[in-house]
Amino acid sequence: MADPKCINGSTTPDGPTRNRLFADSGGFCANPECRLTLFDEADGKNVTLGDCAHIVAASEGGARGREGSPGIDRNSYENLVMLCVTCHRRVDGLPEEYPVDLLLHWKAEHRERTEAAHGAATYDDRATARSAVAPLLDQNRAIHEALSPDSPVGADLDGSGVPAWRRKMLMTIIPNNRTLLRIGEMNGHLLTETERAELAAFREHVDDLERLHIDGVVEPTRRQFPGGFTSIFEVGVDE
Amino acid sequence: MSRSSAEWLQDALSEHTGVESLAVIGPHRLRIETKLTTVDVAVFGEATLTDTDIRAEVEAGGVAFVVNVPKTGVAEASARELATKSGAAIGGVGDLMSALSLADPSAYVNREIDYTERRLRQSVAVQSFRLLDDYRYEIISAAGQTVTAVIINEYEPSVDCLREVLDAVGPFDHFVTSNPYTYGFSTPIARVAKETGIGLSLLSDFLDSL
C-alpha cells in the first residue's frame, strides 16, 4: 500500500483511531499554548476544528518525516496527536521548532491534564466522593435518556439522532466513565464490598462500551451498565 | 378439550389495560372492546399462515385485524394481500397490541415495515419489490438482478435472530439491518452467515450494492 500523504489538514488514520484521539483530547487542542476547543456550532450545524496531526509525517518528505524508527506505522494512534487546524499547520510548517519529542510530550501531558481536569482525587469521606461522582452519573444518564437508541429520538428510523448520540458518547459519556472509574479506583477505601463488585462490573461495561464506540467492534456479550453503580458512595449505605 | 385460537387470545388479553371487554364470537373470531372502539379480530395459530387459512373469516366480513399468534409464526404474502384487500390489518400479537391503541385498528401499519418499504420505493437502485412473507422481500434491482432479503431493524442483530428467521422461512440471499445506530455485525453472526451463504449488510450498504 502506498504511503498515505498528509496534506496538512487531511490524514488517513482509520475511524477507531480518530475516535480514540478525539476521546483522549477531551475536545481541546493538545498545544499547551493553545487549548482551542475542537468543536464549534453555527446555524445549528456542528463544525470540527480538530486535525489528527502526524508526529512523524505520513511520508519521509513531510515534517519530521525522517525521524521515525524503521517500520513505524505512520497512521497509528501512537504517531498522531489531536491539534486544532492552526496548530497543525504551525507544527508542520516549522518542524525544527516542533520536533518529535515536543509533540509526544504535548500528547502525554494533554492526556494527563484532561484526566486531572475531570477531578479524579482521593477523598476522606463518602459524601465528598459522592459529590464528585453524582454530577457525572447524572450527566451520562441525561444524555442516555435524551439521545440513546432507546430514547424517543432513537425511535426515528432515519437516525436523525445518531450524529449527536455518537458525538456525546465520544466527547462526554466515555470521558465521564473514565473519570468515574478513576474516582472509584482511587477511593476504594470508601467502598463497601458490594460497591467493589459494582465497580468491577462497571469497569467491564466501560471496556465493552469503548470497544463498541471507539473500535467499532460488535460483541454479542456486551455487558450493560450495572444498575447498582448509580448509588455508589451514597451516604447511609452500611459501611 | 383444547382451546381455540380465539379463546387463547381472550385469556392472553384479559389483563391488558387497554382492553375493556373480550367476547369469543367463534373459534377464530374475538370481539375486543377498547376505550376507543369495538372490533372483531380474526385469530390464528399457524406456523405459516396463508390466504386459505384466513379466507372464510375475512370474507365473512367485519374483521379489522388478522392476528397470527405464534411468536415464530409467519404470514405469507397471500395472507397479507387477502387481509389488506378485505380492509384488515395483519400481524402478530405485538402488532395487535399497538393497533388496539388506535381509533381504527384496521389502519395499523407496522412502522418498521412501512419504513423499509419507503426506503425501497425511494431508492434509485430498486426497480420493484414485494414482500414474500413477514420477513423476506424479493427485490428486483434497477439492473434487473433479483435478490431476496430479510430486512429488520435490530440494533445488534444476533445469531439467534438469524437462525430463527432461517428456520421460519428457509434460505434467502441477504440479512439486512436498517437500524441507523448499529455499528454492524458480531463475529458469531458473521460466521453463521458465511456458513449459510447469506450476505450481511446495513441497509444503506445493501442498497448501494444492488
Side-chain angles (χ1 to χ4, degrees), chain B residues 47-48 72-74 133 135 163-170:
Chain B
T48 305
T72 55
V74 172
D133 48 49
Y135 293 105
R163 290 202 187 279
E164 280 176 11
V165 173
L166 271 169
D167 284 342
V169 300

Side-chain angles (χ1 to χ4, degrees), chain A residues 19 147-149 151 153-162 165-166 169 212-214 216-220 222 224, chain B residues 111-116 118-119 122 153 155-159 178-189 202:
Chain A
N19 289 346
L147 295 174
S148 77
S151 70
V153 168
D156 173 26
L157 297 173
D158 270 321
S160 59
V162 171
W165 167 242
R166 290 192 173 162
M169 176 60 68
L212 176 67
H213 287 282
I214 294 181
V217 175
V218 180
E219 299 279 8
R222 187 163 56 85
Q224 301 299 313
Chain B
R111 64 188 295 268
E112 290 175 9
I113 291 178
D114 187 49
Y115 173 75
T116 294
R118 189 182 194 197
R119 289 283 299 266
Q122 294 180 342
N153 192 249
Y155 173 49
E156 290 177 339
S158 68
V159 173
S178 60
N179 193 300
Y181 286 84
T182 189
Y183 283 94
F185 300 90
S186 67
T187 301
I189 193 176
L202 307 184

Side-chain angles (χ1 to χ4, degrees), chain B residues 70-152:
Chain B
K71 194 175 175 192
T72 55
V74 172
E76 283 193 354
S78 63
R80 291 188 158 273
E81 285 160 8
L82 180 56
T84 302
K85 186 178 166 187
S86 306
I90 184 168
V93 174
D95 293 306
L96 175 62
M97 296 294 103
S98 298
L100 290 176
S101 67
L102 304 175
D104 179 11
S106 71
Y108 169 79
V109 175
N110 179 293
R111 64 188 295 268
E112 290 175 9
I113 291 178
D114 187 49
Y115 173 75
T116 294
E117 296 192 352
R118 189 182 194 197
R119 289 283 299 266
L120 293 174
R121 252 191 330 271
Q122 294 180 342
S123 171
V124 296
V126 175
Q127 181 187 132
S128 65
F129 66 91
R130 65 187 180 113
L131 190 61
L132 297 176
D133 48 49
D134 288 338
Y135 293 105
R136 293 177 304 161
Y137 285 92
E138 181 184 82
I139 298 167
I140 300 177
S141 72
Q145 178 193 20
T146 301
V147 298
T148 51
V150 169
I151 304 176
I152 57 172

